[in-house]
Amino acid sequence: MTELATAPAQAPIAAESRFYNARLTRRVDLTESLAFMWVRFDGEPVMFEPGQYLTIGVESNGKLVQRPYSVASSARELHDGYEFYLRLVIAGTFTPLLWRLPVGHAMSMKGPKGKFVLEPDDDRIHVFISSGTGIAPFISMMKTLLADGVPRRAVVLHGASYEHDLGYRELLEAWQSEGTYPVTYIPTVSRPGTPQNSTWAGRVGRVESIVPAVYDELSLTPDNSIAYICGNPDMITAVDATLLGRGFPEAQVKKELYWPKGKEPRAAGVNVPQP
Ligand SMILES: Cc1cc2nc3c(=O)[nH]c(=O)nc-3n(C[C@H](O)[C@H](O)[C@H](O)COP(=O)(O)OP(=O)(O)OC[C@H]3O[C@@H](n4cnc5c(N)ncnc54)[C@H](O)[C@@H]3O)c2cc1C
């Protein structure tokens, strides 16, 4: 079996594998550790519901190394494959392999799966709260609703460490300013005062810390809104507690955790991700 040329310390990636049924077709880097990637099944595309995830992987040392990722693209546009918004976890297992993968390389892809999907026919304001790459499923939801001609009023709260980490910012700002989608976009950066955020004039603090003020300012209540939260577990726990404290029933706060609370990558501390 031929393997992708690697530096000695790097795990090999099999060029061919019985697991492979898909291909990395496109990649756009946002920063050194954030990228948009498109993966397409070799056969017919499979329908998904916005909010669901697929599990992608490569073979390394005879084993399939794979992880789940929320789809970010519209469920009505499958010809380019599924778009994913990914963070490189330097001390992680799969993403360092994925980051070395050239466009055109074969991969494994399974799914779709997941229950983090929109409620049917819900005309309440959709408050989409995320940290880091957790914004991905919300982009898919809004793109799909737009394609179906039934956009639902949304408030998007997105937290990142730095301004340049705010993936999909241009799209959301354009939707808001041009009125393409009825969205109020509220980004926040958690590390103000750093050189990377020197031009930032927006909100500051972790996304969970701005939730009470935003709910007050926009008069969001259990009667007029539903919350969807996605990203890191501490943020989700904090936002959940805030909303339950404001009288939201549990069923009106939908959650997708990207990893279990308290679990760090092998070499924790090497790559400190966005809170
Ligand atoms: C349903 C679901 C959907 C997901 N969708 C996405 C997605 O759209 N984009 C995405 O980047 N990740 C997503 N993830 C996380 C992804 O599956 C992997 O856990 C992540 O890419 C790290 O894999 P790894 O093998 O490199 O790290 P591992 O060796 O598995 O280490 C995992 C650790 O890395 C850290 N970590 C995991 N994900 C992230 C992240 N996104 N940002 C910062 N730190 C992280 C956590 O400390 C976690 O415990 C999703 C997870 C789930 C369960």
Side-chain angles (χ1 to χ4, degrees):
M1 183 182 297
T2 49
E3 312 227 290
L4 207 63
T6 58
Q10 293 179 327
I13 300 170
E16 294 162 19
S17 160
R18 66 194 166 91
F19 298 118
Y20 293 166
N21 62 345
R23 206 159 291 277
L24 177 66
T25 57
R26 192 176 159 215
R27 167 178 176 162
V28 174
D29 287 276
L30 179 66
T31 67
E32 273 184 5
S33 57
L34 286 168
F36 308 98
M37 295 191 198
W38 285 258
V39 184
R40 192 166 60 199
F41 280 124
D42 292 334
E44 286 299 302
V46 179
M47 294 284 287
F48 69 97
E49 259 196 85
Q52 288 191 304
Y53 63 87
L54 285 107
T55 299
I56 56 174
V58 292
E59 184 182 317
S60 180
N61 288 324
K63 282 192 195 145
L64 180 61
V65 183
Q66 57 181 349
R67 295 287 183 271
Y69 295 96
S70 309
V71 185
S73 43
S74 164
R76 306 294 172 252
E77 283 172 35
L78 300 173
H79 47 269
D80 281 344
Y82 310 96
E83 177 182 338
F84 300 106
Y85 177 41
L86 306 120
R87 172 177 293 278
L88 168 65
V89 177
I90 291 173
T93 307
F94 176 64
T95 50
L97 296 172
L98 181 64
W99 243 249
R100 285 170 28 220
L101 214 62
V103 168
H105 199 281
M107 303 186 73
S108 148
M109 184 156 66
K110 295 172 188 160
K113 268 190 164 183
K115 298 191 169 111
F116 187 64
V117 295
L118 290 166
E119 295 290 315
D121 302 323
D122 186 349
D123 60 5
R124 291 172 291 190
I125 299 168
H126 286 47
V127 187
F128 294 137
I129 304 167
S130 63
S131 56
T133 52
I135 195 168
F138 304 137
I139 297 298
S140 177
M141 289 173 180
M142 288 186 282
K143 281 189 169 175
T144 306
L145 291 168
L146 205 51
D148 290 349
V150 288
R152 300 180 186 178
R153 174 95 186 83
V155 177
V156 173
L157 280 75
H158 187 205
S161 299
Y162 306 109
E163 184 177 355
H164 59 238
D165 287 348
L166 289 166
Y168 299 103
R169 178 181 173 188
E170 281 181 20
L171 174 75
L172 290 160
E173 285 181 344
W175 275 352
Q176 179 171 257
S177 63
E178 292 159 15
T180 319
Y181 194 104
V183 61
T184 302
Y185 172 55
I186 307 180
T188 179
V189 301
S190 62
R191 296 181 195 177
T194 53
Q196 297 94 320
N197 284 329
S198 59
T199 58
W200 181 250
R203 303 208 187 217
V204 299
R206 294 179 178 223
V207 71
E208 55 269 41
S209 73
I210 69 164
V211 166
V214 169
Y215 271 71
D216 287 344
E217 286 165 31
L218 301 181
S219 304
L220 298 165
T221 66
D223 287 335
N224 67 13
S225 68
I226 178 168
Y228 291 76
I229 324 172
C230 182
N232 85 64
D234 290 331
M235 179 278 289
I236 291 176
T237 305
V239 176
D240 193 30
T242 299
L243 296 184
L244 296 186
R246 287 179 164 245
F248 280 79
E250 192 73 56
Q252 224 167 297
V253 184
K254 303 189 66 158
K255 302 172 272 271
E256 181 85 305
L257 272 70
Y258 273 3
W259 65 91
K261 196 168 162 54
K263 186 171 174 273
E264 299 304 328
R266 274 174 293 129
V270 176
N271 180 29
V272 182
Q274 139 65 27

